[in-house]
């Protein structure tokens, strides 16, 4: 029910790629409207993946608090298309805080996003990240992985967790908690995801958070997500982080990240 196009070419500078022109030419050639290409560069070659313009669009907003108001955050997040009609929201949380945690978190999210954009499957990509963390140094390196993968054609959303805290979903105005026990990557040789699926529709929300946001309970966050009346995900992400800091009552501080995704039905406009 959808068309996709893969293009492999000699490596070119990203600044020289005119995505709008490429999208228009491919759309004209195929007789369908396409999204802008997802571009990855490896081994001297440029790979572009394009998919037919889908039913839904996913809008995102993200906010962070760095432990102790420092410069390096142990949490890392990404939000990107995989080139096959799916939008991926990802948070990784390196063990602890500060520079070492920041390296582990950024390494996890960076490798995962690069592999997924290149068409590598989720389980294989996780195993590669797990091996990289275990081989990184003689010291223990752990990181959680939390992903929501939204199929923009069907609304089917897959949640994948490796040691990550609860995810909050508002579907048809009602809150759903997605909470699955799992282990972080970097501990065992055989890493794997815990999985759950939901089908989302217009104006539904997905809220991913790092464990610093729910350190003192999540009842308030459930109320915040279920009762939110806005339309801009960035505003909700910032409010969640601010509330998480204000409600922390155990005398400790931690990195806090909130990544909010809102599913919409866009007006179809042809790009450039």
């Amino acid at each position: 029910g959808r068309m996709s196009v893969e293009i492999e070419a000699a490596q070119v500078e990203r600044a020289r790629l005119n995505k709008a022109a490429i999208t228009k030419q491919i759309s004209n050639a195929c007789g369908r409207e396409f999204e802008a290409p997802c571009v990855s560069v490896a081994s001297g070659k440029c790979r572009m993946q394009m998919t037919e313009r889908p039913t839904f669009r996913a809008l995102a907003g993200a906010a962070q608090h760095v432990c102790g108001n420092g410069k390096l955050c142990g949490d890392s997040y990404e939000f990107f298309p995989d080139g096959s009609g799916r939008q991926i929201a990802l948070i990784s949380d390196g063990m602890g805080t500060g520079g070492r945690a920041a390296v582990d978190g950024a390494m996890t999210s960076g490798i995962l996003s690069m592999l997924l954009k290149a068409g590598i499957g989720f389980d294989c990509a996780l195993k590669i990240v797990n091996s990289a963390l275990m081989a990184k140094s003689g010291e223990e390196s752990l990181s959680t992985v939390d992903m929501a993968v939204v199929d923009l054609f069907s609304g089917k959303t897959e949640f994948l967790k490796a040691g990550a805290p609860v995810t909050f979903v508002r579907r048809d105005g009602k809150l759903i908690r997605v909470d699955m026990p799992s282990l972080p990557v970097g501990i065992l040789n055989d890493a794997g995801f815990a999985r759950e699926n939901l089908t989302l529709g217009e104006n539904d929300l997905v809220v991913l958070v790092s464990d610093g946001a729910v350190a003192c309970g999540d009842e308030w966050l459930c109320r915040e997500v279920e009762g939110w009346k806005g339309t801009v995900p960035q505003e909700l992400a910032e409010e969640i982080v601010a509330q998480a800091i204000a409600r922390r009552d155990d005398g400790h501080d931690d990195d806090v990240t909130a990544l909010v995704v809102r599913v919409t039905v866009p007006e179809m406009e042809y790009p450039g």
Side-chain angles (χ1 to χ4, degrees):
R2 70 189 73 175
M3 181 182 286
S4 60
V5 173
E6 293 187 12
I7 303 169
E8 190 175 277
Q11 183 171 338
V12 296
E13 294 180 11
R14 286 179 181 267
R16 294 175 54 203
L17 282 175
N18 188 330
K19 291 186 178 182
I22 293 171
T23 303
K24 185 174 182 178
Q25 290 180 27
I26 294 297
S27 298
N28 289 339
C30 296
R32 304 192 186 195
E33 287 192 281
F34 276 79
E35 290 284 352
C38 175
V39 181
S40 60
V41 177
S43 302
K45 293 183 178 180
C46 178
R47 183 169 182 261
M48 288 174 275
Q49 292 178 288
M50 303 178 67
T51 187
E52 189 177 346
R53 183 168 289 186
T55 305
F56 299 105
R57 189 172 299 279
L59 307 177
Q64 285 188 313
H65 163 71
V66 181
C67 180
N69 293 315
K71 295 182 179 180
L72 297 174
C73 185
D75 301 340
S76 182
Y77 66 88
E78 301 276 353
F79 183 71
F80 58 92
D82 71 347
S84 300
R86 297 179 297 186
Q87 196 76 25
I88 299 176
L90 161 66
I91 290 181
S92 60
D93 182 358
M95 182 181 67
T97 60
R100 183 174 158 188
V103 170
D104 290 344
M107 178 177 170
T108 299
S109 65
I111 295 176
L112 264 179
S113 60
M114 180 180 68
L115 293 173
L116 295 176
K117 288 176 184 177
I120 304 298
F122 295 108
D123 293 316
C124 183
L126 188 72
K127 291 182 185 300
I128 292 172
V129 171
N130 188 61
S131 297
L133 284 174
M134 295 188 74
K136 175 173 155 284
S137 68
E139 299 179 347
E140 193 174 45
S141 293
L142 307 179
S143 184
T144 66
V145 178
D146 199 4
M147 283 197 289
V149 183
V150 184
D151 187 312
L152 298 177
F153 285 87
S154 66
K156 181 179 178 181
T157 302
E158 186 172 20
F159 299 90
L160 303 99
K161 292 183 180 291
V166 61
T167 293
F168 304 88
V169 179
R170 192 179 74 184
R171 186 177 66 177
D172 295 329
K174 297 181 180 179
L175 191 90
I176 300 171
R177 298 171 83 258
V178 180
D179 194 7
M180 299 171 283
S182 55
L183 291 174
V185 288
I187 297 178
L188 303 175
N189 288 325
D190 189 18
F193 283 118
R195 284 177 155 89
E196 188 169 325
N197 292 297
L198 291 171
T199 299
L200 304 182
E202 186 175 9
N203 293 323
D204 288 345
L205 294 175
V206 175
V207 179
L208 302 176
V209 296
S210 61
D211 58 4
V214 293
C216 293
D218 61 25
E219 294 83 2
W220 67 271
L221 215 161
C222 292
R223 294 192 298 269
E224 190 77 30
V225 174
E226 191 169 20
W228 188 60
K229 304 298 184 184
T231 59
V232 181
Q234 183 65 34
E235 294 175 356
L236 179 56
E238 292 175 0
E239 179 64 22
I240 288 171
V241 171
Q243 288 281 351
I245 297 168
R247 290 174 180 273
R248 189 87 190 221
D249 58 6
D250 59 359
H252 296 286
D253 194 12
D254 195 2
D255 298 319
V256 179
T257 298
L259 177 55
V260 178
V261 180
R262 176 173 170 253
V263 178
T264 67
V265 177
E267 296 181 5
M268 291 301 181
E269 295 179 359
Y270 195 77

